[in-house]
Amino acid sequence: MVDYQEILDEIHESLTNVKDKGEVAGYIPELANVPKEKFGIHLQLITGENYSVGDASEKLSIQSISKVLSLAKAFQLVGTNLWKRMDVEPSGNPFNHLSLLEMENGIPRNPLINSGAIVVADVLLSNLENPKDDFLNFVRQLAHDDTISFNETVAESERLTGYNNYAAANLLKSYGNLENDVDDVLDFYFYQCSIMMDCKQLTNAFYVFANKGRCIHDQEHLTASQVKRINAIMLTCGFYDEAGEFAFEVGLPGKSGVGGGIVALLPQCFTIATWSPGLNPQGNSYLGMQALEQFTTKTKLSIF
Ligand code: GLN
């Protein structure tokens, strides 16, 4: 029998005292205030057992992790029409890179870089009656948890400094790849990024991707085929210009956010979430990546 708790404890102990924890995201002022020492891991097996260590029950700003959840909702709503407006290729570029978008005529490389997620936000705006409430309800249903909420202070903080995302959205609009107003799309996008969840809630929300489209409460939200494709996009695009490195070191589909969270999963086996706010230069949690590398190496559980 694998002792998962012992493995999480070992990983936590080996990394908590590491001096270099990376840099907290400074371009969203509200995120720069989060203490770098925070560090938590939560593991949920598909069979329902849960294991936790450190600050796993403290809320973090999920940021780009929300892009997988918005993609899931858009895919559920419009199906394969989504792929007329964005591609599914890794970008090999930072999450906020703009030059490829211009070279490729306003078609984002994939839904997990900022430009792609902004198009997904536009799809949700066009297809949901009350976009913010309906999306939040979808996330709450996936996680089976009504306490999950937006953080308006974080959303507002990002709006005030979101020049790069305004540039991306304006470029998309100029190529005819946004149906709604730039300000409305970005307002929704900043809100979705501001959702707060702890590591346990993240493993609950992502259970659907490990369980062929059925959430922790066994309700079907996505088809097995949709989940297969979303997992493929997470594996190839979930860590931007470090997607290859994450597949190499960890070997799981997953998604990071500049709040320092990472969620990863092994289909039919487990979901795992880590949180350490310090980031590496690619914008992925520095300790989180190391923790997940240790986890899949120690347990020998990965897709490869
Ligand atoms: N809200 C952030 C942004 O758009 C999300 C980026 C991220 O988490 N990688 O810049």
Side-chain angles (χ1 to χ4, degrees), residues 27-28 63-64 67 95 114 158 165 189 193 240 256-258:
Y27 74 101
I28 303 176
Q63 291 298 320
S64 284
K67 292 171 179 169
F95 61 87
N114 285 12
E158 184 168 9
N165 285 318
Y189 173 74
C193 288
Y240 320 114
S256 61
V258 291

Side-chain angles (χ1 to χ4, degrees), residues 32-265:
N33 299 329
V34 180
K36 236 195 231 184
E37 295 65 41
K38 299 286 177 194
F39 182 34
I41 311 174
H42 189 93
L43 168 71
Q44 175 159 205
L45 304 185
I46 195 91
T47 43
E49 289 96 335
N50 285 275
Y51 305 89
S52 253
V53 69
D55 301 313
S57 54
E58 260 193 64
K59 303 261 170 138
L60 60 125
S61 182
I62 72 166
Q63 291 298 320
S64 284
I65 296 172
S66 68
K67 292 171 179 169
V68 180
L69 305 173
S70 58
L71 168 64
K73 187 67 203 173
F75 206 5
Q76 189 197 64
L77 288 166
V78 304
T80 53
N81 282 329
L82 205 53
W83 313 126
K84 293 181 184 149
R85 296 179 59 186
M86 69 194 74
D87 211 335
V88 291
E89 289 299 333
S91 69
N93 277 315
F95 61 87
N96 52 9
H97 200 73
L98 295 179
S99 68
L100 267 182
L101 185 61
E102 186 169 23
M103 265 164 27
E104 295 174 357
N105 302 318
I107 300 294
R109 269 286 167 109
N110 66 68
L112 301 184
I113 50 174
N114 285 12
S115 55
I118 291 169
V119 173
V120 170
D122 184 58
V123 170
L124 295 184
L125 227 54
S126 295
N127 287 280
L128 294 174
E129 212 164 303
N130 301 300
K132 285 182 192 163
D133 288 351
D134 295 353
F135 177 66
L136 187 60
N137 278 334
F138 173 67
V139 175
R140 287 175 169 179
Q141 279 171 20
L142 286 186
H144 198 58
D145 189 333
D146 281 346
T147 67
I148 295 170
S149 295
F150 298 119
N151 181 328
E152 297 193 14
T153 316
V154 171
E156 208 40 52
S157 172
E158 184 168 9
R159 186 203 318 280
L160 294 173
T161 55
Y163 307 111
N164 180 281
N165 285 318
Y166 276 97
N170 277 298
L171 208 48
L172 288 164
K173 187 79 182 170
S174 77
Y175 281 106
N177 203 2
L178 285 190
E179 290 173 355
N180 298 281
D181 285 347
V182 163
D183 283 332
D184 295 341
V185 177
L186 286 180
D187 177 58
F188 179 87
Y189 173 74
F190 295 144
Y191 265 76
Q192 73 165 72
C193 288
S194 82
I195 289 178
M196 303 294 289
M197 284 195 220
D198 63 28
C199 290
K200 167 105 187 347
Q201 291 171 322
L202 282 169
T203 67
N204 286 343
F206 274 65
Y207 189 96
V208 71
F209 305 112
N211 193 35
K212 297 199 171 190
R214 304 186 83 86
C215 71
I216 41 164
H217 207 51
D218 204 35
Q219 196 184 341
E220 185 172 351
H221 288 276
L222 298 159
T223 66
S225 162
Q226 286 171 330
V227 160
K228 175 181 76 175
R229 299 189 201 291
I230 293 172
N231 284 338
I233 295 172
M234 278 197 258
L235 182 75
T236 53
C237 313
F239 298 82
Y240 320 114
D241 43 342
E242 213 173 21
E245 181 77 9
F246 192 82
F248 179 81
E249 297 284 352
V250 179
L252 298 172
K255 185 73 202 82
S256 61
V258 291
I262 299 181
V263 198
L265 62 108

